[in-house]
Amino acid sequence: MKLRSPFCILAAAFGALASFSIAAVDGEDAGSLPRIFVAGDSTAAPGDGVGRVGWANPFSEFFDESKVAVHNKARGGRSSRTFITEGHWDDMLQEVEVGDLVLIQFGHNDGGAINREPEGSGRPLRARGSLPGLGDESEEILNAVTGKREIVYTFGHYMRKMVADTREKGATPVLLSLTARNLWKEGRLERGSGKYGYWTYQLAKELDVPFIDITNPVVDRFEPLGNKEALDVYFPQDYVHTGPEGAMINAEAVLSGLKGLRPNPVAGWLSEKGESVPVDTLSWLKLPIPEDAEKPTIFLIGDSTVRNGRGDGSNGQWGWGAFLDTHFDNTKVNVVNRAVGGLSSRTFYTGPYWERVKSMMKPGDFLIMQFGHNDDIALNDAERARGTIKGTGDETEAIDNMLTGQPEVVHTYGWYLRQYIETAKSEGATPIVCSLVPRKTWNEQGQINRSVGSYRDWAKQVADEGGVAFVDLNSLVADKYDALGKSAVNPLFGDAHTHTSWEGAILNAQCVAVGLRALDPNPLQEFMTVNIGSGDAVRFTFSPEMPQEAAIIVDPSMTYNEERGYGFDLGTSPDSEDGVFYFSVLATDGNYRLTIEFGDEEQASSNTVKVESRRLLLENVKTKAGRFTTRSVFANTRNSDLVPPEKYAPGGKSVVLNEREIGKLHWDGKLTIEFNGRAPEVRSLEIQRVDVPTVYLIGDSTVTDQPYEPAASWGQMLSRFFNDEVAVANHAESGETLKSFMTGLRLAKVLQEVDEGDYLFIQFTHNDQKEQWPQTYVEAGTTYKAYLEVLIAEARLRGATPVLVTSMQRRRFDSEGKIVSTLGDYPQAMREVARSEGVALIDLEPMSVALYEALGPADAPKAFSNGGKDATHHNNYGAYQLAKCVAQGIIDAKLPLAKALVSDFKGYDPSRPDDVDTFEMAASPFSSDLAPLGN
């Protein structure tokens, strides 16, 4: 192997993820030059030079051969799968070195047969197709071509491998969308074959690699020619493969996209011809494209409050367009956020941004626009030159644009909005105008400043005059901010006052969805999902014969799916033999008020309600025949997502779940309600997102929501003892320790949510004391105390109240019927921390001793899981008694939280427990004899 330029090696050492330019020294031989490799199929391969020429063939003409070498390794007929399985990828990889650039483009052949062609097909036997999508699916086959067994993976699997292998070599991968094909439909040229362009974009976004959309720029050049025959000069042989002229156009699109990346990876390498190719100023933005061209698309246009930067949360700033898709059924509609930061209604229109959206738009599409933040700026300067004339009239001003050097006629804000509206209508699309989201600036009355008499009102005026829908986003969001107050609004911003954080963007997207649902008529109604995270109350009725106003009628056949956003779950329905059923609703993180109407016209009912993984909310709510009663409770739900850290910052995008947690109800992105009891009868259910004080629980298996009978913990019973003034968010998990709760990013999840007025209940010991777990062991008198102090400080920093809870003892009796401590010095160490830090303490350890000893060695096993064989983990009875202990501890600690305890809780003495033999609780349908992690 020949030595490479030291600059190449140094540049790669500072991050192969980034693109960079390298200029080789004159006279350096070709073997030591940086290289550009092309991996792809026949649309890039050399071909025959006449009727079939791939774009990578003329690509080298754009480069100075004394500075860089172009190696076209594309092979005709190959898919992402066969390029790898036939060895072409590994052969190429042997040549790739630090500092090289690898362009990867596949998809044209991935949609072929995985093995044998369908019966009656005249296609040759190739066995080259990959499984569709980006998932982890696989299929084992006996390859009809090779005669060997093979495991076939998804398109995403093969592409991820290529990216990972390239990076491992210290080279830079760049993903490309597909070349255009000469296929026309209703006067429009196809924009990509299948979903491969979209999947490639998604991979680039997921893997944080550059993406170049060559499909749309090339179609933009070809489509104005009008028809297939006009393009035959570019596709002389068939509709897929280009001749020399078509190859050159594709090559120019690739180079234009490369030059538009930031930083430019080919700077310093170009020939005079390459320098003359214009820069694609869109490519660095990594703007999305429609997933499925056959579906209608909702295009979003606007500024950085809709899409910030590359849409990746850089600097902790997000636009609301990043989260609007969660409110739509993606099986019915594409949501494509083409907003660009820093632009006004004028510069989005005069730049290449609007032309690209317009070229992708088709009849049946939708256009949602929001501008204004950047319109109130100078009309002409040498930096941005983006301002518009105030108002909605026809005034103009002719300028010599100091930024572009070109003459320009500048119009009013309203004029530019009208152009978007009129163009969308002419394309058969439906425009919707939004007023601009408010900045975080407050007036003297402590309210958010509204855009009164300016851009909000002008947007409404244009919408009204144009006869199109208007969403007053400015007022909707401002009202939310006013209700939350200054301290709660501050974390919703990623800068001083304009750009929202992850949480703020989600809230704004919810406001957009609320505004759209309120439209009469709502042109997007058929595409919107039920997402209770929007803030609006959503009401369901389970009695079709008794419909209720504004309620969604749910019949027993409606099973849950994400597209609908609600339905009966886990194979149950009200018609289930035992009457127990689960009902799930798509939900974002947070607290929800459940208003449940129980009863039946013809029979009595007895109802117990649990949520997520068996978290008890209500028990034994009874009604007589023909009578109904309504109860209101709070439920908390969550998923594993974290606000992503800034690029290269430590942390992660999600909580590190153990294998038992994956797919469990308390992490799955929906709110699941279990209706149980001797005779459950539910007439209606209303769900509304609310902001209420929350008790966060962190700890181990003795606190967590145990997903299966017979195990249970006090944490999943505690909600039953609170009224509708407070919610419980149980983040405890089996097997966790103080250290692992932090390193697994569980604490990060809690701290992301906890707020002023909340509580943080902390119970750790059982697993922390294990010296045989050296990575997470903490010594009682030193590190155990130190970690507790960190948690206390983190809670207080956020205005929350920390509460320490000593762990309950294990069930180990001596010969005299007394409990033998197995917890060492840990309970005492926690008491000492509580005293030194001035923190409330719930001393559960002695209460558990009193409980076990009151039951005695004969009956105490009846409080534990697995028929008493488990001496650490409890069953429903034991967990219920310990939850009562915690409720009593809240009273004893004189916490203000005591006011939120239910009125039927009259206090609890663990030495006088409920009768274990007569205790009843409706058991959930799912059980397991697998012991919880930890002991």
Side-chain angles (χ1 to χ4, degrees):
M1 177 186 297
K2 296 189 179 181
L3 293 176
R4 306 298 301 283
S5 161
F7 180 75
C8 295
I9 298 171
L10 184 62
F14 278 95
L17 300 184
S19 301
F20 46 82
S21 61
I22 305 166
V25 178
D26 286 342
E28 206 170 18
D29 66 278
S32 62
L33 292 175
R35 278 85 55 88
I36 300 174
F37 289 91
V38 178
D41 53 35
S42 57
T43 62
D48 59 15
V50 183
R52 178 180 292 198
V53 182
W55 63 262
N57 198 40
F59 194 58
S60 59
E61 298 176 22
F62 298 130
F63 296 91
D64 184 337
E65 62 182 12
S66 70
K67 296 179 179 180
V68 66
V70 178
H71 292 262
N72 186 2
K73 299 295 183 178
R75 293 291 179 270
R78 272 57 180 192
S79 63
S80 64
R81 164 192 164 193
T82 53
F83 196 83
I84 291 175
T85 58
E86 293 177 7
H88 304 297
W89 176 253
D90 285 340
D91 289 345
M92 188 197 81
L93 207 60
Q94 291 179 17
E95 301 179 38
V96 175
E97 297 182 10
V98 173
D100 289 341
L101 193 64
V102 180
L103 310 182
I104 304 169
Q105 180 192 57
F106 288 98
H108 279 300
N109 299 317
D110 282 80
I114 291 172
N115 201 5
R116 298 185 181 279
E117 293 290 333
E119 186 176 347
S121 171
R123 297 174 180 172
L125 182 63
R126 292 190 174 180
R128 62 182 180 181
S130 58
L131 296 179
L134 305 178
D136 297 324
E137 300 89 340
S138 63
E139 180 179 327
E140 185 173 359
I141 65 168
L142 179 61
N143 193 302
V145 173
T146 66
K148 297 179 181 179
R149 292 206 168 273
E150 179 188 357
I151 298 178
V152 180
Y153 299 95
T154 62
F155 174 73
H157 170 91
Y158 297 112
M159 297 288 279
R160 287 189 187 97
K161 171 179 169 54
M162 294 187 208
V163 169
D165 289 348
T166 301
R167 282 174 160 165
E168 190 173 346
K169 282 282 192 171
T172 300
V174 178
L175 300 183
L176 313 180
S177 68
L178 297 180
T179 57
R181 303 191 300 181
N182 192 11
L183 289 177
W184 294 75
K185 182 179 180 180
E186 297 179 355
R188 302 296 297 269
L189 185 59
E190 177 192 75
R191 290 181 180 266
S193 174
K195 298 183 180 180
Y196 292 98
Y198 174 80
W199 289 334
T200 304
Y201 164 79
Q202 288 292 97
L203 283 169
K205 185 178 175 183
E206 169 197 325
L207 302 174
D208 193 21
V209 299
F211 169 75
I212 297 176
D213 175 16
I214 71 167
T215 311
N216 286 294
V218 170
V219 173
D220 287 351
R221 290 184 66 176
F222 283 156
E223 197 169 59
L225 298 180
N227 54 49
K228 177 183 180 302
E229 290 69 27
L231 290 186
D232 284 346
V233 65
Y234 302 103
F235 295 87
Q237 191 173 89
D238 56 41
Y239 64 84
V240 176
H241 301 99
T242 52
E245 292 87 349
M248 182 59 73
I249 287 179
N250 285 336
E252 288 174 352
V254 175
L255 178 59
S256 179
L258 286 170
K259 291 172 72 173
L261 296 176
R262 297 185 184 177
N264 174 358
V266 295
W269 293 352
L270 300 176
S271 65
E272 184 177 347
K273 184 173 183 177
E275 293 286 2
S276 70
V277 172
V279 175
D280 182 351
T281 56
L282 298 179
S283 66
W284 76 274
L285 290 164
K286 203 179 283 186
L287 290 165
I289 56 180
E291 175 185 2
D292 186 345
E294 298 301 315
K295 295 186 296 192
T297 297
I298 302 169
F299 290 101
L300 312 181
I301 63 172
D303 53 37
S304 56
T305 63
V306 185
R307 188 180 194 267
N308 193 283
R310 292 183 173 91
D312 56 4
S314 178
N315 299 319
Q317 298 171 13
W318 294 85
W320 57 258
F323 304 98
L324 189 65
D325 62 333
T326 62
H327 298 275
F328 289 90
D329 182 346
N330 60 21
T331 67
K332 296 179 179 178
V333 69
N334 307 303
V335 179
V336 177
N337 186 4
R338 300 287 297 195
V340 178
L343 300 183
S344 64
S345 63
R346 163 191 165 194
T347 49
F348 193 94
Y349 183 79
T350 57
Y353 317 101
W354 174 238
E355 284 299 318
R356 181 60 48 79
V357 173
K358 186 173 68 172
S359 68
M360 291 191 289
M361 197 178 292
K362 64 184 185 300
D365 287 346
F366 300 86
L367 178 71
I368 299 179
M369 66 191 79
Q370 182 224 278
F371 289 101
H373 280 291
N374 298 317
D375 284 76
D376 189 19
I377 295 178
L379 269 62
N380 199 11
D381 58 31
E383 295 181 359
R384 296 287 184 99
R386 59 184 178 180
T388 55
I389 299 172
K390 291 179 171 58
T392 64
D394 294 324
E395 302 94 320
T396 63
E397 183 174 334
I399 66 170
D400 289 322
N401 193 306
M402 297 168 62
L403 186 63
T404 66
Q406 300 295 319
E408 179 186 358
V409 176
V410 180
H411 300 267
T412 64
Y413 170 74
W415 184 91
Y416 291 105
L417 293 190
R418 283 196 292 273
Q419 306 316 301
Y420 300 128
I421 291 170
E422 291 167 7
T423 303
K425 287 181 175 180
S426 70
E427 296 290 339
T430 301
I432 299 172
V433 179
C434 294
S435 58
L436 72 172
V437 293
R439 288 187 169 94
K440 188 187 64 177
T441 59
W442 304 85
N443 62 26
E444 294 179 355
Q445 289 74 43
Q447 295 178 319
I448 284 288
N449 288 312
R450 271 75 167 168
S451 176
V452 179
S454 61
Y455 295 97
R456 181 191 72 174
D457 296 341
W458 296 334
K460 183 179 188 305
Q461 180 183 340
V462 171
D464 290 345
E465 291 173 352
V468 300
F470 173 71
V471 174
D472 189 2
L473 195 51
N474 189 265
S475 297
L476 287 168
V477 176
D479 289 346
K480 282 283 187 182
Y481 291 170
D482 288 348
L484 290 171
K486 291 184 179 181
S487 61
V489 170
N490 284 334
L492 302 180
F493 281 78
D495 65 6
H497 54 64
T498 301
H499 300 104
T500 47
S501 63
W502 171 281
E503 298 94 334
I506 289 174
L507 184 146
N508 285 354
Q510 291 169 353
C511 290
V512 175
V514 168
L516 291 172
R517 288 191 179 94
L519 294 175
D520 186 16
N522 174 10
L524 292 168
Q525 181 61 49
E526 65 177 298
F527 306 112
M528 299 190 76
T529 60
V530 169
N531 187 329
I532 55 177
S534 66
D536 276 1
V538 180
R539 188 173 181 84
F540 303 93
T541 177
F542 304 106
S543 301
E545 70 281 0
M546 299 182 66
Q548 301 177 19
E549 184 178 355
I552 298 171
I553 298 174
V554 187
D555 66 60
S557 67
M558 298 176 72
T559 57
Y560 176 83
N561 59 59
E562 286 191 7
E563 290 70 38
R564 182 187 295 120
Y566 65 91
F568 298 107
D569 211 349
L570 304 180
T572 66
S573 79
D575 292 341
S576 299
E577 186 174 347
D578 57 4
V580 178
F581 66 93
Y582 291 83
F583 185 76
S584 293
V585 183
L586 186 68
T588 53
D589 286 13
N591 296 319
Y592 295 86
R593 181 188 298 277
L594 310 183
T595 304
I596 309 168
E597 185 181 18
F598 299 101
D600 185 80
E601 289 287 353
E602 299 179 356
Q603 60 187 28
S605 74
S606 177
N607 304 272
T608 291
V609 178
K610 306 176 190 180
V611 294
E612 302 294 75
S613 292
R614 301 172 51 228
R615 194 181 315 141
L616 182 65
L617 296 186
L618 296 168
E619 59 173 331
N620 298 326
V621 178
K622 298 180 179 180
T623 64
K624 295 179 179 180
R627 303 295 295 272
F628 299 87
T629 188
T630 299
R631 297 292 181 88
S632 178
V633 288
F634 291 135
N636 178 273
T637 188
R638 65 180 186 268
N639 56 40
S640 60
D641 293 342
L642 292 169
V643 176
E646 290 188 20
K647 196 170 184 177
Y648 306 127
K653 295 182 179 180
S654 63
V655 175
V656 181
L657 304 183
N658 65 57
E659 61 182 13
R660 292 191 186 182
E661 292 179 277
I662 296 173
K664 292 299 182 290
L665 295 177
H666 51 284
W667 284 120
D668 63 357
K670 62 181 190 287
L671 174 61
T672 299
I673 308 165
E674 175 188 336
F675 293 102
N676 205 320
R678 287 187 175 182
E681 293 291 344
V682 182
R683 186 183 189 186
S684 68
L685 166 68
E686 183 177 279
I687 308 178
Q688 184 172 23
R689 185 183 176 94
V690 291
D691 293 312
V692 293
T694 304
V695 179
Y696 289 88
L697 310 181
I698 63 174
D700 52 35
S701 56
T702 61
V703 186
T704 191
D705 291 347
Q706 293 292 350
Y708 301 116
E709 300 280 357
S713 76
W714 67 261
Q716 67 194 126
M717 301 292 175
L718 189 63
S719 295
R720 178 260 181 265
F721 296 100
F722 286 117
N723 59 27
D724 61 355
E725 297 177 14
V726 68
V728 175
N730 191 355
H731 285 254
E733 181 52 43
S734 297
E736 288 300 307
T737 67
L738 282 163
K739 284 184 177 179
S740 67
F741 204 85
M742 296 181 184
T743 58
L745 302 180
R746 296 178 190 274
L747 179 62
K749 180 68 176 181
V750 173
L751 297 181
Q752 176 179 299
E753 306 293 339
V754 73
D755 204 352
E756 186 174 358
D758 292 337
Y759 290 81
L760 181 66
F761 280 38
I762 306 163
Q763 184 209 287
F764 287 97
T765 291
H766 282 97
N767 300 314
D768 300 84
Q769 68 176 155
K770 295 175 181 176
E771 294 185 52
Q772 68 271 29
W773 290 11
Q775 292 184 11
T776 57
Y777 169 71
V778 287
E779 194 272 329
T782 55
T783 46
Y784 178 70
K785 287 184 172 182
Y787 275 94
L788 290 177
E789 288 165 358
V790 168
L791 295 176
I792 291 167
E794 291 283 9
R796 285 174 165 168
L797 185 64
R798 290 160 177 79
T801 301
V803 178
L804 298 180
V805 183
T806 56
S807 293
M808 73 291 293
Q809 285 286 351
R810 298 179 179 89
R811 191 189 80 243
R812 181 179 296 178
F813 287 96
D814 63 15
S815 58
E816 297 180 358
K818 299 296 183 181
I819 288 295
V820 177
S821 176
T822 63
L823 302 181
D825 295 331
Y826 290 86
Q828 183 57 30
M830 181 175 279
R831 295 180 191 112
E832 291 171 3
V833 171
R835 282 195 296 272
S836 65
E837 293 291 323
V839 171
L841 176 77
I842 296 177
D843 210 351
L844 185 57
E845 185 264 339
M847 288 192 276
S848 69
V849 171
L851 171 64
Y852 302 161
E853 292 180 353
L855 292 170
D859 281 344
K862 297 178 182 179
F864 286 79
S865 184
N866 200 17
K869 295 176 183 177
D870 189 327
T872 300
H873 304 104
H874 303 86
N875 59 14
N876 287 329
Y877 170 81
Y880 195 88
Q881 303 307 302
L882 290 173
K884 284 188 169 183
C885 290
V886 173
Q888 182 61 47
I890 291 171
I891 296 172
D892 295 341
K894 296 182 172 57
L895 288 169
L897 188 61
K899 296 178 182 178
L901 293 170
V902 291
S903 58
D904 67 353
F905 179 72
K906 306 300 184 183
Y908 183 69
D909 180 355
S911 65
R912 302 177 64 185
D914 298 334
D915 188 336
V916 68
D917 293 320
T918 59
F919 176 83
E920 288 187 6
M921 178 174 291
S924 299
F926 302 101
S927 63
S928 172
D929 57 5
L930 190 66
L933 297 173
N935 58 38

